[in-house]
Each structure stands twice: as structure tokens, then as C-alpha cells.
Amino acid sequence: MNSRLCLLLRPSWLFGNRFCAKYSMQKLAVEPRQPTTIKLNMPPEFHSVFTPELKKLMNIFVKHNHEFRIVGGAVRDLLMKKFPVEIDCASTATPEQMKEMFLKEKVEILQNKGESHGTVFIRMGEDRTFQITTLRIDVATDGRHAIVKFTKDWAVDACRRDFTINTMSLDCNGTVYDYFNGIEDVNKRVLRFLGDPAMRIKEDFLRILRYFRFYGRVAKDANSHDPEVLKAIKDNAEGISEISGQRIWKEVRKILNGNFSFEIMKTMLEVGLAPHIGLPSDLNLNEFNALRERVCDVLDPIVIMASFLKNTDEMKALDDRYNLTKRERDLGCFIMSHRDDKLDADSLHKYKELVVVTKNNYYRIREMIEQVLTYRGEEKLLLEFKNWNAPRVPVTKDHLLDRGMKEGKLFDEVLLEMKRRWFNSGFTLSDKALLVDFDDIYHQLLDEGLNKGKRKKKKYAKRALNSEFY
């Protein structure tokens, strides 16, 4: 390694000894080398990857004499004849040079929060966004954050990447630059760390989950892991606990959406990741293994995670760790509540009632029921339910508004009760027949609400009398 590069990799020289107390010295994973180059041969259907906005962006960099390439996963996916999920771009231009260039070209710059790490976010056209990152060296790291130094050397930038299949780059002329036999590994469907696995994991513990995600994306079979890699993961599993729940769930969700999801999750448990990714210490392994055997269709990631849990309290704890979306939280709790339902001759009856008599979104509740049936392995019932379309409810909000009701809790309860009566009639009652009972339904629910309110008020009053403040 040349002396100039060695100087750049001395954190104490750059930042002082106080810095080194928190960050460990970052060495290059391997020596930079001359790349192998090939011309990318894409099927015609993949030409759409190079959108007019991307071509315009490339031309801007060429115009201002800055090198520009597509890097990482997009190059890997194109070589695998897969349509890239996202396009990452890199350049020899610094963030300041990019901002100056984009201002001249009247390109909208979206944010500046990534500039310390060399990343600039822009919008091309009406809704196409890109992030372009300056070539860099990770000078030092604490396992989560890195201090970087910018460079113009593509080989040195490739050294900081995690896996050989992610080290390649693609220039504006369609030439692929391969510094570490990434093309060969893509063709063999092999996932290799760039350098020593344990060292690379300690630089960024999220690489443990990235390993399993990319394994599912490139491997030919479920259990061809390198024992050395699994040992490095097991030895450093505790480091995952330092990562935010949102970032963990983002990776776990992708793992469970990928190939070999059950087998990979099983391997993750075997290397001791469960407590560090938010799962309880006492896993419901019997339920998980049974689910592996009977699953008959695609399951949502949160549904698979629910199989490890024993009750809704554990689902709420998982939500606290992951900060789930409302949809994920509702779906997870729905699975926990209905996965042990007893099914009889008319098994779909109560699920159909849930679709009709619900405050939830029609499509959301259907999705949850389909996931429950998939979870239970009820293939025939699932097909029957998918082919069933709920008839249109004859009574709507407008009918109640016409009778002077104002939207609110009582309004919703009256509408739900009318839907329930219509469902119980076998969908035979007309709007006129249902509205005949409007007054009775209204007053019945009003009285129930008042009585409930009195009981609640009495309960609070009793609690107040027993309080130390009274």
C-alpha cells in the first residue's frame, strides 16, 4: 500500500487520540487491484433501467468532467439478469462540487444530511430521485458509524464494500469494472465477504443481517453457508443489539421476503441472533416449525415473525422494538388472535362477517383473513375466500346523515348494527327494510352507551375515592 494511503488510514494522525478511544482504526479489507472489465450485455427488456432522467444525470457529470458510475447492487442484479430494485450512483466529484454543478444545471437538491459521508440527494424530472455518493475511504468505525475521507480512486472505494458481488461498478459506456472477482461469484451464485468476515462485521454489525439478505438473493440452495462466516456471525451476534430496531426490521423484512426465508431464519436462530433482533428468549419454536411444514402460499414477513410469539403482549413488545407500521401491527395482532380459530362446516361464515361488519378498510381486512388462512395451511378455504366477493351493503353513511345523525361513535355503531342485521339475513334485507328499524337500533345503542358511560363514571369515582390524592 502506498505511503500516502497509509497516512490517510491513521485515525490518531487525522483526529487525535481522543477520537481513537471511541473509533477503531479502519484498514482496507484487501489490497486495491486492477479491475477486470467487460461490456454489459443486457436483454432488451432491461434497457428501461436507463431512464431519460438517469441518462441526463450521467451526461451532466460527463459535461463537468467528473467520473460517474452505477455501483453496488444494481450492477450485481443486472449481471444476474434481474431488474434492479434501486440504483445507487457514485462519482469522483465531492459534495461541494456536485452542489455547485447541480445549481448550474438547475437540478433540485433535496437535502444535505448525508453530505458528511459524501452523499447528495437530488430530484430529476417530476418524481425521480437519485442519491450520488463521493468515492470514499472509511477511515475509522465504532461498529455503527464511520469517519470517512474522500478519494478519486475507484479501487480504494470498492475495498470498503462488504461482499465481492457488491464491489462492481458500471460506467456511462456500459463497461463493468470488477476489482475482486465479483463477476465470477455472481455466475457461481457465491456470497463472499471482501476480506476477513469477522473484521468486516466488526466494522458494521448490520452486515450480519445483510449477509443473510444477500444470501437469499444470490445462493442456489438454502444451506451452503461458509462455516467460517457462520462462526464470525455467532461470535459477533451481540453487536446487532446496538442497531436501531427500525434498521433491524428493514433487513429482516427483506430476508423474509426473499428466497429460502424459513431456512435462513432457522440458521439465524442457530447462530444466536434471536434475542438481538427483538425476539423473546422463550421462542415458540413448535409453532414456527409447524408453519414451515404447512405453509401453502406467500406470507407477509410480520406473519412469519408472529409464529415465534405466544401472545399479543409479545407482539406489542416486538412493535416497541421495531416501530412497526399500523398495517403490520394490526396484521400481527390479527394473526395472534385468529391462528387457533376452530373451523367448522361453515368455516368462512365468521370471516365473511368480519369483512361486512367492520370499521376497517375492506381490502385490509380481506388481506388479514387471507393471511390467516395461508398461515393455517387452509388451501381450499383460501381459494374459496379469494373467489368470494362481498355484496354491496344497501345502507350507507348517507342514509344516516339524511336522518339527521352526526358522524361519531354512535353513528358508526348504528351503521355496523345495520350491516350485521343485513349479513344475518343472508344479504336479503333491502335498505327500506333495514331503515324501518332505524329508530329502535338508534335508541337501543344510545341507551347502551349511556349506561356504559354511567358505569365508567362510577368506576372512575370509586378509583378517585381510593386514591391517595383524595
Side-chain angles (χ1 to χ4, degrees):
M1 193 184 303
N2 64 53
S3 59
R4 180 180 66 83
L5 188 56
C6 286
L7 283 174
L8 288 176
L9 297 178
R10 292 177 187 168
S12 58
W13 179 78
L14 282 169
F15 305 105
N17 291 327
R18 186 176 179 182
F19 165 87
C20 292
K22 179 179 179 183
Y23 289 87
S24 61
M25 181 174 177
Q26 178 75 24
K27 298 178 181 179
L28 290 180
V30 290
E31 287 287 337
R33 60 181 75 173
Q34 290 298 314
T36 299
T37 59
I38 63 168
K39 277 289 185 180
L40 183 64
N41 182 22
M42 290 192 302
E45 61 268 25
F46 283 82
H47 291 173
S48 61
V49 170
F50 294 86
T51 62
E53 293 85 1
L54 179 57
K55 291 178 181 177
K56 182 179 178 181
L57 180 61
M58 289 177 167
N59 291 334
I60 288 174
F61 278 86
V62 171
K63 176 182 175 181
H64 290 267
N65 299 314
H66 296 298
E67 292 182 55
F68 176 96
R69 296 182 192 173
I70 296 171
V71 294
V75 185
R76 174 201 68 228
D77 289 345
L78 288 169
L79 287 169
M80 292 175 65
K81 301 296 188 290
K82 293 183 178 181
F83 204 88
V85 177
E86 55 188 10
I87 304 285
D88 291 325
C89 308
S91 173
T92 53
T94 65
E96 288 301 321
Q97 290 172 327
M98 281 193 271
K99 288 194 296 182
E100 181 181 351
M101 176 178 66
F102 291 138
L103 286 173
K104 288 180 180 178
E105 298 294 335
K106 298 181 179 180
V107 173
E108 182 182 1
I109 300 172
L110 297 178
Q111 52 182 278
N112 59 9
K113 67 178 182 180
E115 288 182 21
S116 62
H117 287 82
T119 302
V120 175
F121 297 83
I122 63 165
R123 178 181 287 119
M124 299 288 289
E126 293 184 0
D127 59 359
R128 186 66 194 273
T129 59
F130 294 93
Q131 63 180 57
I132 308 98
T133 302
T134 305
L135 302 185
R136 67 189 192 224
I137 306 166
D138 290 342
V139 176
T141 179
D142 67 348
R144 290 179 295 168
H145 309 102
I147 301 297
V148 304
K149 185 79 175 177
F150 298 143
T151 180
K152 292 185 180 295
D153 190 328
W154 290 93
V156 169
D157 180 82
C159 287
R160 69 180 178 81
R161 301 188 183 275
D162 45 13
F163 307 106
T164 58
I165 60 171
N166 292 338
T167 62
M168 297 171 287
S169 54
L170 173 67
D171 72 11
C172 303
N173 299 313
T175 300
V176 175
Y177 295 81
D178 176 16
Y179 298 92
F180 300 105
N181 298 324
I183 295 172
E184 180 180 347
D185 287 344
V186 165
N187 291 335
K188 290 182 177 179
R189 297 295 191 267
V190 172
L191 183 63
R192 289 191 299 118
F193 272 95
L194 183 59
D196 177 61
M199 184 185 84
R200 302 316 307 274
I201 287 170
K202 288 174 182 176
E203 293 168 4
D204 181 357
F205 292 113
L206 193 66
R207 284 176 176 162
I208 289 175
L209 298 181
R210 284 172 59 82
Y211 167 79
F212 288 111
R213 170 158 67 94
F214 288 124
Y215 183 90
R217 191 159 180 84
V218 304
K220 290 181 179 179
D221 59 77
N223 296 296
S224 296
H225 302 279
D226 183 339
E228 181 187 357
V229 171
L230 293 184
K231 182 180 184 304
I233 290 172
K234 187 172 184 177
D235 292 344
N236 292 281
E238 191 173 349
I240 290 287
S241 299
E242 301 176 15
I243 299 171
S244 73
Q246 291 94 322
R247 293 183 72 194
I248 291 174
W249 177 230
K250 183 178 180 180
E251 291 295 328
V252 172
R253 187 194 293 122
K254 290 178 180 178
I255 291 168
L256 296 178
N257 270 326
N259 298 325
F260 316 124
S261 57
F262 283 97
E263 292 82 359
I264 289 175
M265 183 57 72
K266 182 174 179 289
T267 303
M268 289 169 64
L269 300 182
E270 290 170 351
V271 295
L273 289 182
H276 307 300
I277 62 172
L279 289 171
S281 56
D282 184 19
L283 291 175
N284 194 354
L285 289 177
N286 289 337
E287 184 71 19
F288 172 73
N289 289 326
L291 182 63
R292 286 177 59 204
E293 295 299 322
R294 69 172 179 259
V295 67
C296 61
D297 206 339
V298 177
L299 285 171
D300 190 279
I302 196 62
V303 175
I304 298 176
M305 293 298 279
S307 70
F308 291 114
L309 311 179
K310 295 181 178 178
N311 51 59
T312 53
D313 286 341
E314 290 185 346
M315 177 58 70
K316 290 172 183 175
L318 194 70
D319 178 28
D320 289 340
R321 180 74 170 103
Y322 286 169
N323 192 21
L324 301 171
T325 65
K326 185 179 185 304
R327 173 197 163 275
E328 290 170 334
R329 182 171 61 252
D330 290 348
L331 177 56
C333 289
F334 190 86
I335 293 293
M336 303 297 295
S337 300
H338 292 275
R339 66 185 180 187
D340 296 321
D341 286 347
K342 293 183 178 179
L343 303 181
D344 52 28
D346 191 16
S347 302
L348 292 183
H349 182 81
K350 64 181 176 181
Y351 291 138
K352 292 177 180 179
E353 183 176 6
L354 282 174
V355 172
V356 175
V357 188
T358 181
K359 296 178 184 178
N360 292 316
N361 177 277
Y362 171 81
Y363 297 102
R364 179 71 56 82
I365 192 67
R366 285 196 69 111
E367 177 198 24
M368 291 194 290
I369 292 168
E370 288 175 11
Q371 285 288 298
V372 164
L373 292 172
T374 302
Y375 185 100
R376 293 171 60 100
E378 301 286 352
E379 296 183 56
K380 291 182 179 179
L381 290 178
L382 176 64
L383 181 60
E384 183 182 344
F385 183 76
K386 284 184 174 181
N387 291 331
W388 174 75
N389 291 312
R392 184 180 294 275
V393 182
V395 175
T396 66
K397 287 184 176 183
D398 289 339
H399 288 93
L400 303 192
L401 292 172
D402 289 343
R403 277 160 176 73
M405 285 198 74
K406 293 182 179 180
E407 292 195 46
K409 188 175 181 180
L410 180 59
F411 183 99
D412 293 338
E413 292 297 330
V414 170
L415 188 58
L416 281 176
E417 180 58 26
M418 288 190 164
K419 289 180 178 179
R420 186 175 291 107
R421 294 188 181 195
W422 175 66
F423 178 83
N424 290 335
S425 75
F427 311 117
T428 60
L429 290 178
S430 66
D431 56 344
K432 292 181 180 179
L434 288 167
L435 291 170
V436 166
D437 295 331
F438 170 78
D439 288 339
D440 291 339
I441 294 172
Y442 173 81
H443 288 293
Q444 179 186 343
L445 292 173
L446 180 62
D447 291 342
E448 288 177 1
L450 290 173
N451 291 331
K452 185 178 179 181
K454 289 177 181 178
R455 290 194 298 271
K456 194 173 184 181
K457 187 175 181 180
K458 187 175 181 180
K459 178 181 177 182
Y460 288 147
K462 185 176 181 181
R463 185 183 301 171
L465 287 171
N466 293 329
S467 171
E468 62 179 338
F469 298 107
Y470 287 85

